[in-house]
Amino acid sequence: DVVIASGQVVVGSAAVAPRSDEYDDGKKGGVQGGRKKMDHKQKKAKRKELSKQLYDAAIIKHPIKPRSLAELQQMNRDEIIKTGMTFPSMAHVKLAESEVNERDAKAVSSGAGKKSKDSGARFNCNDASRYVSSCGMRQNESGCEYRLVANVRTKAENVHITEFKWHSCEGELQSRPKHASTAYTVKHLGAVVKPLAEQTGTLTAKSVKNAIWPAYMKLQPAQSFVERVMKEAKLQLRSTAEEQIRHLPVLAEECIRAGHKVKVYVRSGAEMRDIHVAKKKMDHDIQQLTAALSERVAFDEQTARQEADQAIPLEGRFAYGWSYAPSTTLATIDKFHPVDVNDASHMQCPESGTSFTTTCLDAAHRSVVMAVTILHDTEREDTWNVHNAFIHEAYGKERIDSLERRRICDLDEGVVHSLRGHLLGGGHYFANYCDRVKNVASAVGSLGRSQYTQAVYAHTQYEINQVKSKMHANVSEFVDKIPDKNQYMAASGKMWGMVKQEPAPEEAGAATMQHLYGALRSQLQRDQKAFNDQRIEAHSEAHSVDQVPEPVRARFKDHLLKSAHNMEIYYPDQSNKRRAVVSNIMGGEGEFNTDLDTHFCECGVFDVDGVPCSHLIHHASGLGLPLSSLLHPFDRTEGWRAQYPVEIEFVVPSIMSVNQSDKMDKGLMLPTDVRNPK
């Protein structure tokens, strides 16, 4: 027998004094007075630490994101949560509880509340290793039996549901203008909205509301709650950036292993400090321009340097950009027209930067990514040179700088400086804006056709202007009415209808809400989807007739209709009917020399728009030739399918393989004060 009396533990007849470091002073009385304080605290601390470790390990494989109501409706309650069930972390227990209550329009509360003997309510005692919740329907007078108790188990290293009782009350969630009206927290629904922000690059109250209701919430959310969810989604994007940036080199390595070309750009702490000081000086100089002469002060470089030293660690390494070229385009680049479109856009993420994109167009005139560079820097000559150098490295300088290749780009300051050598060499054709031109050569009439044709085949803009200056007055007057951007496109020659297309908003803004890691992963996912979707379309028999893809046929349908009416043809040389003179007897356009071997027509439509004109179509049909014979091989069905071969796959590294890699660069950081001064 053990008897506790007068501060002594009596076992049989022997009395042993208690150790002061093992037992309390016995003021609480009873058995509790003999409990070991050290062991209890250690066990509690161990459970707390284990709870955090479980969350860190589980979040990689099982992100905290609710399932849709449609999925939950197909499950029994016991399949979602029940007594005896185990979960990888306490956060997953709370998520499952929210899911089952949202499905049935119920609410719970994990607050301590008030103890009431009449209502039978009990305290909810929560800490890092224990979670207790009760009914949150505010109908305690009915004595709702809802109860959830979950505990962290140190030996099994999981979270165990020790008690779960469902609601006995009949209360249901009600729509309230200033309340959540949901069992979910803003963090739960923020995880639903976060992928939307990563994919589209934009967040609006309308898009957030459409994302969470009615797919995840039973009741329509209040506007204030939608704004809280939107704010939470933005916080989640930013909070994960610091962790994700350390995985950027791993993602790049996995991409290279999958056949892509990826390059990550890193600055040292010393470089970031110099940039910080230079930007401070630029801001100071701008402010001084508006100040009175007597009030202007010199730039305090020492203070700026001290600020940089405090904010930026010298030993730090800062990722400030990446370049990427997809494996599929690297393998099929020779299957596309030798024309690429270059563009730059300003990012709107917290660290402002610039996105440089080079694309080509497939037979269906859909953009195909050749290379993308994202730099947390301003658009200028140096940054354009970074992107161009990567393109040369990925595809080969000889191929990209070939005299047969055309490049389309805005003629802004950064591009002109970067590509000055190409312009001076006359080996490339450039077009700013690149709006498609209609049959300009036909419209100017026979009087100016030969001169305009010379302009179409001119090598440089200087030669184009020289030709235009010698045109007949009537022709010159007509040409002057055409915007310069259209004339430039018409005078670019062999562009095959390639244009600079404005991207869809969801594509253009995809990187604006993200940091470097998320932007690269989103780019990979978009390119994978585009390749797979366009491959299905290209290889479908329903999208091609007589070796002419339907998207290509749609581009010259007007010429096809025109060729069947009021057209005349004669052959100057009866021994060679592949050359002819075609005219429209009703249109008053005059006569046009055509050559089926070179796809040449004086109207210039094929060289500008890349599709056969009505004159070539009438000439070919008169000889019984198929329409496909008038198309460039890249634009025929076989060429279209060669651009998306079935034997290659677009591979995106899995999130798990990247997150579980032991090659994470723990020293890599997000850039601070990232933009270089111009």
Side-chain angles (χ1 to χ4, degrees):
D1 295 333
V2 179
V3 180
I4 300 177
S6 303
Q8 291 184 332
V9 178
V10 181
V11 182
S13 59
V16 182
R19 289 175 54 184
S20 59
D21 60 340
E22 288 188 358
Y23 302 95
D24 61 15
D25 56 6
K27 291 181 180 179
K28 294 182 180 180
V31 178
Q32 291 183 353
R35 185 175 295 169
K36 294 183 179 181
K37 295 178 65 177
M38 185 68 71
D39 288 349
H40 175 69
K41 290 182 178 180
Q42 288 177 344
K43 187 178 291 186
K44 186 176 181 180
K46 184 178 180 180
R47 288 198 301 266
K48 184 176 180 180
E49 180 63 25
L50 178 60
S51 179
K52 184 178 183 302
Q53 292 175 359
L54 290 175
Y55 175 80
D56 293 339
I59 198 66
I60 297 176
K61 296 182 180 179
H62 309 285
I64 304 297
K65 180 184 175 183
R67 288 168 285 194
S68 66
L69 289 176
E71 295 178 80
L72 296 174
Q73 293 292 351
Q74 298 176 359
M75 303 172 66
N76 295 325
R77 185 184 302 155
D78 290 348
E79 294 179 287
I80 303 174
I81 189 170
K82 66 178 180 179
T83 302
M85 187 176 284
T86 59
F87 289 84
S89 75
M90 196 67 76
H92 292 83
V93 172
K94 297 177 182 179
L95 175 61
E97 181 187 37
S98 298
E99 287 179 331
V100 73
N101 279 275
E102 182 68 27
R103 186 190 70 168
D104 296 337
K106 297 287 186 178
V108 295
S109 172
S110 59
K114 296 181 179 180
K115 188 174 182 179
S116 173
K117 293 182 179 179
D118 298 333
S119 63
R122 289 178 283 182
F123 282 115
N124 298 330
C125 301
N126 297 293
D127 55 35
S129 62
R130 176 181 172 85
Y131 175 72
V132 182
S133 65
S134 55
C135 178
M137 300 307 302
R138 300 185 179 183
Q139 295 189 2
N140 289 336
E141 64 276 1
S142 63
C144 183
E145 296 181 357
Y146 183 88
R147 181 79 167 172
L148 172 64
V149 181
N151 292 281
V152 174
R153 298 196 299 187
T154 54
K155 291 184 178 180
E157 295 189 350
N158 58 25
V159 181
H160 181 252
I161 305 297
T162 57
E163 182 182 357
F164 180 70
K165 294 182 179 179
W166 189 242
H167 296 270
S168 59
C169 67
E170 297 180 356
E172 290 188 355
L173 285 171
Q174 301 293 328
S175 294
R176 293 177 290 173
K178 295 185 179 181
H179 296 81
S181 302
T182 179
Y184 290 124
T185 65
V186 291
K187 287 188 176 181
H188 290 153
L189 297 174
V192 173
V193 178
K194 180 182 173 184
L196 174 67
E198 293 177 339
Q199 182 179 2
T200 64
T202 57
L203 276 182
T204 62
K206 183 178 180 180
S207 64
V208 171
K209 183 177 179 179
N210 292 338
I212 62 178
W213 178 79
Y216 292 87
M217 293 178 60
K218 294 202 73 171
L219 301 178
Q220 182 173 345
Q223 182 65 24
S224 58
F225 183 73
V226 172
E227 293 174 355
R228 288 170 55 199
V229 173
M230 182 166 60
K231 182 178 180 180
E232 174 62 27
K234 292 180 179 179
L235 289 175
Q236 289 187 19
L237 284 171
R238 189 166 181 83
S239 64
T240 56
E242 290 286 351
E243 179 182 352
Q244 288 180 341
I245 198 66
R246 302 185 182 101
H247 292 287
L248 182 60
V250 181
L251 178 59
E253 185 177 332
E254 292 287 330
C255 287
I256 294 172
R257 192 172 300 154
H260 309 292
K261 180 78 174 177
V262 179
K263 195 171 185 179
V264 178
Y265 305 109
V266 179
R267 283 180 176 142
S268 65
E271 291 175 318
M272 293 299 293
R273 288 182 177 182
D274 292 340
I275 291 173
H276 178 91
V277 174
K279 188 173 183 302
K280 287 289 185 181
K281 185 178 186 306
M282 182 184 68
D283 294 341
H284 173 270
D285 292 343
I286 293 175
Q287 291 177 354
Q288 294 302 305
L289 292 176
T290 59
L293 292 176
S294 59
E295 297 177 356
R296 294 183 181 181
V297 295
F299 175 66
D300 189 352
E301 183 174 348
Q302 183 177 359
T303 301
R305 182 68 62 178
Q306 290 176 352
E307 292 177 358
D309 294 346
Q310 294 177 356
I312 304 172
L314 184 62
E315 66 280 2
R317 294 167 49 252
F318 300 86
Y320 76 99
W322 51 256
S323 293
Y324 144 81
S327 60
T328 49
T329 314
L330 289 169
T332 61
I333 185 62
D334 293 327
K335 307 300 181 182
F336 298 90
H337 284 293
V339 181
D340 55 70
V341 183
N342 300 266
D343 192 21
S345 58
H346 299 289
M347 299 169 61
Q348 297 177 0
C349 61
E351 287 77 27
S352 300
T354 309
S355 173
F356 304 89
T357 306
T358 299
T359 60
C360 55
L361 298 183
D362 65 4
H365 261 223
R366 294 189 178 93
S367 295
V368 178
V369 171
M370 288 179 57
V372 176
T373 297
I374 286 183
L375 295 175
H376 285 307
D377 214 332
T378 51
E379 179 189 358
R380 52 200 170 85
E381 180 179 356
D382 291 346
T383 49
W384 264 110
N385 284 337
V386 169
H387 180 64
N388 287 325
F390 175 77
I391 295 176
H392 289 157
E393 182 181 342
Y395 293 95
K397 182 176 176 60
E398 298 78 10
R399 177 188 290 167
I400 296 300
D401 288 347
S402 168
L403 294 179
E404 295 300 320
R405 191 166 195 86
R406 276 51 171 158
R407 307 200 72 182
I408 301 175
C409 54
D410 292 331
L411 295 182
D412 54 23
E413 183 179 355
V415 180
V416 170
H417 281 297
S418 178
L419 305 177
R420 186 184 298 276
H422 305 306
L423 287 169
L424 295 177
H428 290 278
Y429 297 85
F430 291 84
N432 60 334
Y433 295 99
C434 308
D435 293 343
R436 183 170 306 158
V437 180
K438 295 184 178 179
N439 194 351
V440 177
S442 297
V444 298
S446 59
L447 184 63
R449 188 181 308 132
S450 61
Q451 292 178 325
Y452 203 88
T453 302
Q454 293 177 32
V456 168
Y457 290 102
H459 283 76
T460 65
Q461 181 66 28
Y462 173 77
E463 293 181 16
I464 295 171
N465 291 331
Q466 288 293 102
V467 173
K468 288 169 61 178
S469 66
K470 298 176 182 179
M471 286 182 176
H472 188 275
N474 295 337
V475 178
S476 178
E477 181 181 358
F478 176 84
V479 171
D480 288 341
K481 295 179 181 179
I482 305 173
D484 288 340
K485 56 185 180 182
N486 289 352
Q487 293 183 44
Y488 204 4
M489 179 62 189
S492 295
K494 294 186 180 179
M495 299 303 292
W496 295 292
M498 300 300 176
V499 295
K500 177 184 165 186
Q501 298 176 331
E502 292 298 329
E506 61 272 12
E507 296 177 355
T512 59
M513 294 291 295
Q514 301 169 326
H515 298 269
L516 294 175
Y517 177 91
L520 179 55
R521 178 165 289 283
S522 294
Q523 185 70 48
L524 287 164
Q525 292 171 342
R526 287 198 310 275
D527 291 348
Q528 181 191 49
K529 184 179 185 304
F531 178 81
N532 292 336
D533 292 347
Q534 293 170 19
R535 178 168 60 181
I536 292 173
E537 183 179 357
H539 288 268
S540 172
E541 296 294 338
H543 292 96
S544 293
V545 178
D546 298 331
Q547 284 295 309
V548 180
E550 286 302 313
V552 177
R553 188 186 298 272
R555 289 168 51 203
F556 65 86
K557 64 179 181 180
D558 292 339
H559 298 292
L560 185 60
L561 292 172
K562 184 178 178 181
S563 67
H565 302 284
N566 304 316
M567 304 292 287
E568 284 187 345
I569 184 170
Y570 73 90
Y571 305 100
D573 185 358
Q574 291 295 325
S575 63
N576 183 10
K577 292 189 175 182
R578 296 188 67 82
R579 292 186 177 184
V581 177
V582 182
S583 61
N584 188 324
I585 60 176
M586 298 296 293
E589 296 176 353
E591 299 176 341
F592 296 87
N593 291 309
T594 59
D595 188 338
L596 297 179
D597 292 329
T598 60
H599 295 173
F600 170 78
C601 179
E602 283 186 309
C603 72
V605 167
F606 186 83
D607 288 295
V608 175
D609 287 343
V611 294
C613 60
S614 59
H615 314 105
L616 282 171
I617 295 174
H618 186 76
H619 185 176
S621 62
L623 299 179
L625 299 176
L627 284 175
S628 59
S629 65
L630 298 176
L631 297 176
H632 193 285
F634 295 152
D635 290 332
R636 298 171 190 165
T637 299
E638 291 181 357
W640 190 20
R641 292 174 179 175
Q643 294 165 0
Y644 301 100
V646 295
E647 60 270 14
I648 64 175
E649 293 293 335
F650 193 110
V651 179
V652 177
S654 67
I655 296 177
M656 187 175 299
S657 65
V658 174
N659 290 346
Q660 292 182 345
S661 173
D662 56 357
K663 298 181 181 180
M664 180 179 68
D665 191 344
K666 297 182 179 179
L668 202 61
M669 293 182 282
L670 286 172
T672 57
D673 209 338
V674 293
R675 289 180 293 172
N676 263 344
K678 290 186 178 180

